[in-house]
Every structure is written in C-alpha cells, then in structure tokens.
C-alpha cells in the first residue's frame, strides 16, 4: 500500500518521464522530419491534456526538442514565441490594469444594477449585459473575478432584505425567535464560502490577484458584519470556525430563506460565467483562443488580409447579441420560470419591500464611490479611443487612417494598443493644476508624479503563461508546416471529401466542444488548428469556413468547473452544484453551436467570401507541398 500511495503521489512525474520514452521509437525507427515533428507534437499534447506540468512549461517543449531532432533551428523556434499578437495583448493589458486599479468596472456594474432594479429577471439581464460588455475587452477570467464579488454582495442584500422583512413582520409573535436564529446562522455560512473561494485552486495566479484588488471591499464588508453579528450571539449558539462536512453543508443550505432565493442565486451566478464567454467572442482580443487563431492564421496565410478587429467584430457581434438574449431566456426559464411579467417589471408600484431595501443598499454602495475621478475619466477615454482607432484603421467599406501613411501595411491593431498603453505609464494620476493652487492641494505631493498605472500594476495583470502557451502553439504549427507533417495529415483526411462542407464544419465544432470540456481552451485550439488548416486545404474549402466556427465553439466549455477558470470561480462561491452547471451549460452549448453555424452560413459567407477557395490558401498549399 505504501508503494502504491507513493506511485499515486508521483504519477505526474512518472507521466512526464514515461511518455517521451515510450514514444521514442517513433523518431528512431522512422528517421524523417515528419516523424520527429509528430513525436514532439504528441509529447506536448499529452503534457497539455494531462496538465502533468504547467501549461506554460509544456509549451517550452518544442523550443528544445525541435532543434534536437533537426526540425527547426533554435533561432527559428525562438522567433515563434513573440509575435505581433503578443504586443497586442501587452497594450490591452495596460488598459485593463488601469480599469481594475481605479475601479471603473465596479462603477459600471453598480450603475447598471441601479438602472435595472432588484427584479430578478432584470437583475439577471443587467449583470449578463454588464459582464458581456466588460469581457469584450478584458479576459473572461478577470471579468468573472471582478463581477462575482459584486454579484455576491447583491445576492446578500436580496437575502438579508427578505430576512429583515420577515423579522419585522413576525415581531412579537412566537415565530420571531427561530427566524432570528436562522439570520444569525446564515451569515457565518456566507463567510465560509468566501474562505473557500479565496483558497480555490486554479491555474491562474493573476485571477486571484485581480479578485483581491477589485472585489475585496465589496465582499469583505458583509463578512465583517457576519463576524460582528456572531459575536453578539449567546455562548450556546457560537460555532467553531472549522465545521465538519455535514455541518458545513447544513450551514450552506440554511442561507437560503426559500427555494426561490436559491434558484435566483444559482441562475445569477452561472449567468456571469456564460456572459463572460459570450462577451469574449465579440472581439478578437476577448479570449486567448481568438488571439491564438489570429496569429496562427496570419502565420499560415500571410497573404490573407481578411481578418482584423473590424471584420471579426462585424461577424461576431450579432452572434453575441443573439446568444445573450437567447441565453437569458434559457436561464430565466430554467431558474426563474416563465413568469416574465412579474420578474421583469420596471414599474415602481409592483416592487416589494425586499426589492426596495435591496435597491437602496445598492445605491448606497454606488454613492460610496463618489464622483467619477480623474484617473477613471482618463482610463475611460483611452478605452473608447482604442476601440475607435481599431475600427477606423481599415474599416473595409471606406479608407481608414492607415491609408494616410505612405507605406501601407506597417501598422496593425497592436500598434494602437501598445502606443496607448505606453501613454498610461506617463500620464499622472493626479489632475494637473495650471492655475493658482488651492489650500491643501499640496498635502500629498507624491501623487502628482504617480502615473495612471505602474509596472507593478501591469505585472499583476499580465498573463505571461498565456503568452508562452501561445508561443508554443506557433512553434508547433511552424514545425508541422516546415516538416511536411501538416500536408501528410491533410492527405489522410481525404476520406471526408464525400461530406458537404457544412457537415465537416459541424462535426469539427461538435468534436472540439466535447474535448474542450476536459482540456484547456488554448491547448485545444493549438492542437486542432494545424489539422483543420491541412484538412481545409486538402478538401479545397475556405479555411475560414472551418477555423472561425471551431475557434468560437472551443470557448463553449461551460458545462464543468474544470472547463475554464470562470466556471471554477463561479462554482467556488457555493451556490450551484455540478449537475446545475451541466444542465444549464448544455443548453448554452447547443444555443451557441446553432447560432454559430447559422452565422457562418449566412452573413459570414458574404463578409469573408467563404463560397470560394481563396488564392491565398492555394499559395500556402503549394508552399507546403513543395
């Protein structure tokens, strides 16, 4: 037994050592570039799928195995790890760091909640819209980590408002005592949820840093209140801080006053994860999968100037909008029922005492932010300016600002984002005063020199693991192309030529939707992109007809907590179980798959000219065969 336990503890190390050794006969017996490249690709893919080593560390495998087997030179592999997309990500992260540092996201979220009110249906729609909007520009993980503490605070206000109403209505009756006990017991259970949420194990360190930076004031305030109330309890009612599993489960169940409250908490929590996924689809910088797709596509087809920020947005924005509305209906029907008139009414006459108390507390929380500050205004301006410059660089239907320059093609979306991100390191966080100083203005002279963001702010937000992971994917794709492995894989798939193109795309989308539930999104797209490119070229299908739907469907890993970090964050708050995630996520998955397939066969055809096999794909195919 001791030996077996030791082997189980060292199973990851054994996997890291045994996989390369077991596969070593492949390049030894078949001394060709294709076999050597296949060996490196399989080893890296196994490391990614099993997560025996961190994803970023596994992405470094091609950096030393390709030169070792003579597939690529070391300098050629190194060049794949830092591309134009990396600079785009750097600039976007600078703006995201400023948004998080100055709590602009919190102001936007609370303002939208105030506009929607405390009706469950409108609250659900409001938070989904807010999360979708933020996730267009921030990573899905950061958005979920920032919004969930606000959602949790709102849910606490809803539950506590009903408790106050019940206590007030039951005052002087025999039932007042048991109700008050449930109130006191419910608050410490929330505290336990927050403790487990902070210690949850995810593979994103910056995730927890973002959560601590942005959500601490919103979350810890109710927790402190809970501690304060627990101290007022009689000694006989005090509970130790460490509870048994059964006691912990009992405490979690007691925090809901009714089944309706529990369903509201489930629906609202899960909707944040789904809305973050939907928002990430909208922009090319919204998710790591779309960034990986963009860089791989530009490397594979350098002559193809068809995918940029504008064209991607024109294609994906209707998809996101339709998905948002349909998913809201699905979540509302699943958790709140079909009574839309009652849950979505904006009339003040129909508001209950509970909803009025909740709206009052949310409004007080918003007023604590005070007037919009100078750094928030600067950050918001840069946020809007970056979007406008991206759209107007090459709109397609009219000449963009890039045409004003003599040399064409030198400026990309990364140029804009890096330039604006660089300016955020220079602009002071304190509003400059050019006139006469007022009394007390120079009490804090150090603030005058502090910029909007510092390098430490940038480091806390920058996902370096994703950068290395993306680079590893580029290296694998480059090796597959230069060694001829991608061409060989394409020839093996000629049996699929009897199927219509839409059926091939549908099968690929279903396949990646299943795989990505168990394998990380970046790893999934990195493995499938070279295969799908070869398949499209071999069958003479426009590569975008397959690549774009597959890229979007890979993001639909919403059925399990391990599917992506946003799922793990939402699950850690303790409102939903795995069966709830599977049931709701399956519906969202089907909704997304249907909408993406409809989009690629309607407006996607005219936008990307998908009904013809483009010349830039023919050139790439000839190059691979040569």
């Amino acid at each position: 037994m001791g030996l077996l336990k030791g082997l189980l503890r060292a199973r990851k190390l054994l996997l890291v050592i045994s996989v390369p050794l077991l596969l070593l006969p492949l390049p030894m017996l078949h001394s060709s570039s294709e076999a050597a490249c296949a060996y490196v690709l399989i080893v890296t893919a196994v490391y990614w799928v099993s997560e025996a080593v961190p994803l970023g560390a596994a992405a470094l495998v091609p950096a030393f195995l390709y030169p070792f087997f003579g597939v690529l030179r070391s300098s050629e592999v190194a060049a794949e790890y830092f591309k134009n997309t990396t600079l785009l990500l750097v600039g976007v992260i600078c703006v995201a760091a400023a948004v998080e540092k100055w709590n602009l996201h919190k102001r936007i979220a609370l303002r939208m909640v105030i506009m929607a009110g405390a009706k469950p249906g409108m609250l659900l729609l409001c938070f989904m819209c807010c999360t979708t909007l933020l996730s267009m520009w921030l990573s899905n993980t950061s958005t979920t980590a920032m919004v969930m503490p606000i959602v949790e605070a709102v849910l606490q206000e809803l539950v506590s408002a009903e408790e106050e109403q019940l206590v007030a209505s039951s005052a002087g009756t025999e039932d007042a005592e048991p109700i008050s006990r449930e109130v006191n017991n419910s608050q410490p259970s929330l505290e336990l949820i927050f403790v487990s949420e902070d210690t949850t194990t995810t593979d994103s360190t910056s995730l927890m840093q973002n959560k601590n930076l942005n959500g601490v004031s919103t979350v810890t305030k109710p927790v402190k209140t809970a501690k304060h109330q627990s101290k007022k309890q009689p000694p006989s009612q005090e509970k130790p801080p460490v509870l048994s599993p059964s006691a912990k489960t009992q405490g979690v169940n007691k925090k809901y006053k009714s089944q309706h409250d529990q369903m509201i908490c489930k629906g609202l929590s899960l909707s944040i994860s789904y809305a973050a996924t939907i928002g990430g689809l909208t922009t090319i910088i919204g998710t790591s999968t779309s960034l990986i797709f963009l860089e791989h596509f530009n490397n594979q087809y350098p002559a193809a100037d068809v995918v940029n920020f504008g064209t991607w947005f024109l294609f994906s924005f209707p998809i996101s909008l339709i998905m948002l509305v349909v998913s809201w209906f699905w979540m509302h029907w699943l958790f709140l029922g079909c009574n839309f008139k009652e849950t979505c009414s904006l009339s003040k006459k129909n508001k209950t005492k509970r909803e009025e108390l909740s709206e009052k507390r949310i409004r007080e929380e918003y007023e604590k932010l005070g007037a919009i500050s100078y750094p928030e205004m600067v950050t918001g301006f840069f946020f809007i300016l970056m979007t406008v410059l991206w759209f107007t660089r090459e709109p397609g239907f009219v000449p963009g600002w890039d045409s004003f320059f003599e040399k064409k093609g030198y400026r990309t979306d990364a140029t804009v984002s890096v330039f604006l991100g660089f300016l955020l390191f220079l602009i002071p966080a304190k509003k400059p005063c050019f006139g006469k100083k007022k009394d007390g203005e120079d009490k804090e002279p150090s603030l005058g020199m502090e910029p909007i963001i510092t390098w430490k702010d940038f480091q806390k937000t920058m996902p370096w693991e994703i950068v290395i992971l993306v680079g590893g994917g580029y290296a694998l794709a480059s090796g597959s192309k230069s060694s001829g492995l991608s061409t060989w894989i394409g020839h093996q798939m000629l049996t699929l030529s009897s199927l219509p193109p839409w059926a091939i795309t549908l099968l690929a989308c279903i396949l990646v939707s299943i795989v990505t539930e168990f394998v990380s999104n970046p790893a999934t797209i990195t493995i499938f992109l070279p295969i799908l490119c070869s398949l499209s070229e071999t069958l003479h299908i426009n590569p975008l007809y397959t690549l774009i739907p597959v890229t979007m469907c890979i993001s639909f890993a919403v059925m399990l907590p391990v599917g992506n970090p946003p799922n793990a964050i939402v699950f850690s708050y303790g409102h939903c179980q795995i069966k709830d995630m599977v049931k709701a996520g399956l519906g969202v998955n089907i909704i997304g798959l249907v909408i993406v397939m409809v989009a690629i066969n309607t407006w996607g055809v005219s936008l990307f000219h998908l009904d013809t096999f483009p010349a830039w794909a023919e050139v790439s195919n000839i190059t691979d065969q040569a």
Side-chain angles (χ1 to χ4, degrees):
M1 290 297 295
L3 178 61
L4 183 59
K5 290 182 179 179
L7 291 176
L8 287 175
R9 285 196 296 266
R11 62 185 181 276
K12 290 187 176 182
L13 179 60
L14 293 175
L15 183 66
V16 171
I17 297 174
S18 60
V19 168
L21 294 178
L22 293 175
L23 295 175
L24 197 57
L26 177 63
M28 294 298 183
L29 298 178
H30 302 277
S31 57
S32 62
S33 297
E34 293 91 338
C37 182
Y39 173 78
V40 178
L41 194 149
I42 295 173
V43 170
T44 308
V46 171
Y47 286 172
W48 275 338
V49 172
S50 64
E51 296 189 13
V53 293
L55 294 178
L60 295 174
V61 171
F64 58 86
L65 284 186
Y66 271 166
F68 183 80
F69 286 105
V71 178
L72 287 175
R73 298 179 185 273
S74 182
S75 58
E76 294 173 339
V77 180
E80 300 296 331
Y81 280 85
F82 202 94
K83 294 287 188 177
N84 181 65
T85 310
T86 309
L87 288 177
L88 175 65
L89 183 62
V90 167
V92 170
I93 291 300
C94 289
V95 178
V99 170
E100 296 174 17
K101 179 179 180 180
W102 300 107
N103 281 328
L104 182 60
H105 65 286
K106 185 177 179 182
R107 183 179 295 276
I108 295 173
L110 288 175
R111 186 60 190 172
M112 292 189 70
V113 172
I114 292 175
M115 293 170 61
K119 288 287 184 181
M122 293 306 298
L123 202 60
L124 181 69
L125 180 61
C126 162
F127 268 114
M128 289 185 72
C129 291
C130 177
T131 306
T132 301
L133 178 64
L134 292 174
S135 186
M136 291 182 186
W137 317 104
L138 308 177
S139 71
N140 297 354
T141 304
S142 298
T143 302
T144 308
M146 289 187 294
V147 176
M148 270 308 295
I150 302 175
V151 172
E152 186 65 26
V154 172
L155 291 176
Q156 288 191 44
E157 298 296 345
L158 289 173
V159 174
S160 61
E162 182 178 6
E163 289 168 351
E164 288 183 9
Q165 183 181 1
L166 289 173
V167 171
S169 62
S170 304
T173 64
E174 294 179 356
D175 298 333
E177 184 178 353
I179 290 177
S180 63
R181 286 180 181 176
E182 279 199 25
V183 173
N184 289 333
N185 287 337
S186 66
Q187 293 290 352
S189 67
L190 285 175
E191 179 184 352
L192 290 174
I193 292 174
F194 289 125
V195 171
S196 64
E197 182 262 336
D198 286 335
T199 57
T200 184
T201 56
T202 62
D203 55 352
S204 176
T205 305
S206 61
L207 154 70
M208 295 305 160
Q209 292 173 341
N210 290 337
K211 195 184 306 182
N212 294 335
L213 281 171
N214 302 286
V216 66
S217 60
T218 308
V219 177
T220 54
K221 183 181 177 182
V223 174
K224 290 180 180 178
T225 305
K227 291 180 179 179
H228 180 69
Q229 290 178 352
S230 63
K231 289 179 180 178
K232 291 183 178 181
Q233 296 178 357
S236 59
Q237 294 182 357
E238 290 183 356
K239 302 292 182 182
V242 180
L243 298 178
S244 63
S246 59
K248 186 182 293 186
T249 304
Q250 185 179 3
V252 172
N253 292 333
K254 281 186 177 181
K255 75 172 181 287
Y256 304 113
K257 295 300 298 180
S258 64
Q259 180 71 15
H260 181 65
D261 283 348
Q262 186 177 12
M263 298 303 281
I264 290 176
C265 293
K266 286 183 180 181
L268 199 54
S269 299
L270 288 174
S271 66
I272 299 304
S273 176
Y274 303 155
T277 298
I278 294 171
L281 299 175
T282 312
T283 58
I284 199 68
I285 49 93
T287 61
S288 58
T289 53
S290 57
L291 284 173
I292 295 172
F293 155 75
L294 178 63
E295 191 61 38
H296 178 86
F297 182 78
N298 290 336
N299 284 346
Q300 183 78 9
Y301 309 107
D305 190 16
V306 290
V307 180
N308 54 41
F309 184 89
T311 55
W312 180 276
F313 185 86
L314 290 175
F315 173 74
S316 60
F317 180 73
I319 295 176
S320 300
L321 190 61
I322 297 172
M323 272 199 70
L324 182 66
V325 175
V326 178
S327 297
W328 175 71
F329 275 105
W330 164 248
M331 298 295 290
H332 194 291
W333 175 82
L334 192 62
F335 294 103
L336 302 179
C338 298
N339 194 354
F340 291 92
K341 184 177 180 181
E342 180 183 344
T343 60
C344 302
S345 175
L346 295 177
S347 175
K348 294 183 178 179
K349 296 180 180 180
N350 298 330
K351 291 182 179 179
T352 63
K353 182 67 175 177
R354 165 191 178 182
E355 291 167 352
E356 290 177 357
L357 286 173
S358 300
E359 290 181 8
K360 179 182 177 182
R361 291 178 177 177
I362 294 170
R363 196 174 293 108
E364 290 174 354
E365 195 68 27
Y366 179 79
E367 290 173 355
K368 289 179 183 179
L369 296 175
I372 185 169
S373 63
Y374 172 72
E376 286 180 90
M377 290 191 290
V378 173
T379 302
F381 173 75
F382 272 65
F383 187 85
I384 297 172
L385 180 61
M386 180 182 291
T387 307
V388 171
L389 291 177
W390 277 341
F391 270 112
T392 57
R393 182 177 65 86
E394 288 180 353
F397 51 91
V398 293
W401 57 263
D402 187 54
S403 61
F404 298 152
F405 294 87
E406 183 179 354
K407 293 183 178 181
K408 304 296 188 297
Y410 279 74
R411 290 145 297 276
T412 64
D413 293 337
T415 310
V416 174
S417 63
V418 171
F419 172 67
L420 295 181
F422 173 75
L423 292 181
L424 290 175
F425 288 99
L426 303 179
I427 299 176
K430 185 178 180 181
K431 185 176 181 180
C433 183
F434 300 102
K436 185 178 179 180
K437 291 186 178 181
K438 298 179 181 179
D439 295 338
E441 270 194 352
D442 53 352
K443 290 182 179 179
E444 297 179 350
S446 59
L447 292 179
M449 299 303 296
E450 182 183 352
I452 296 292
I453 58 172
T454 63
W455 189 255
K456 288 184 178 180
D457 300 327
F458 171 78
Q459 281 183 314
K460 290 177 182 178
T461 315
M462 184 65 187
W464 290 111
E465 184 182 38
I466 295 298
V467 173
I468 302 297
L469 179 63
V470 171
Y474 301 154
L476 286 177
S478 178
S480 300
K481 183 177 180 180
S482 62
S483 66
L485 178 63
S486 58
T487 305
W488 180 85
I489 294 175
H491 288 316
Q492 307 308 310
M493 296 183 174
L494 284 174
T495 53
L496 297 175
S497 58
S498 59
L499 296 176
W502 67 266
I504 296 174
T505 301
L506 179 61
L507 288 175
C509 289
I510 294 175
L511 176 62
V512 298
S513 297
I514 297 173
V515 172
T516 194
E517 293 291 347
F518 308 96
V519 184
S520 68
N521 296 355
T524 304
I525 192 170
T526 304
I527 293 170
F528 277 93
L529 276 180
I531 299 174
L532 294 175
C533 285
S534 301
L535 174 64
S536 301
E537 293 170 9
T538 304
L539 302 181
H540 276 71
I541 302 173
N542 191 318
L544 290 175
Y545 185 75
T546 304
L547 297 181
I548 291 179
V550 165
T551 300
M552 289 191 162
C553 288
I554 285 176
S555 297
F556 298 151
V558 293
M559 292 176 59
L560 296 173
V562 298
N564 55 36
N567 290 2
I569 297 172
V570 169
F571 185 75
S572 68
Y573 276 79
H575 294 302
C576 54
Q577 300 175 350
I578 291 181
K579 64 179 181 180
D580 300 318
M581 300 189 74
V582 172
K583 183 168 58 175
L586 179 61
V588 175
N589 233 323
I590 296 174
I591 290 169
L593 179 62
V594 171
I595 294 175
V596 168
M597 288 303 299
V598 171
I600 201 66
N601 287 285
T602 51
W603 65 85
V605 173
S606 58
L607 184 62
F608 297 110
H609 306 289
L610 301 178
D611 51 349
T612 59
F613 188 68
W616 44 262
E618 292 178 355
V619 172
S620 176
N621 195 15
I622 294 172
T623 305
D624 290 348
Q625 292 176 357

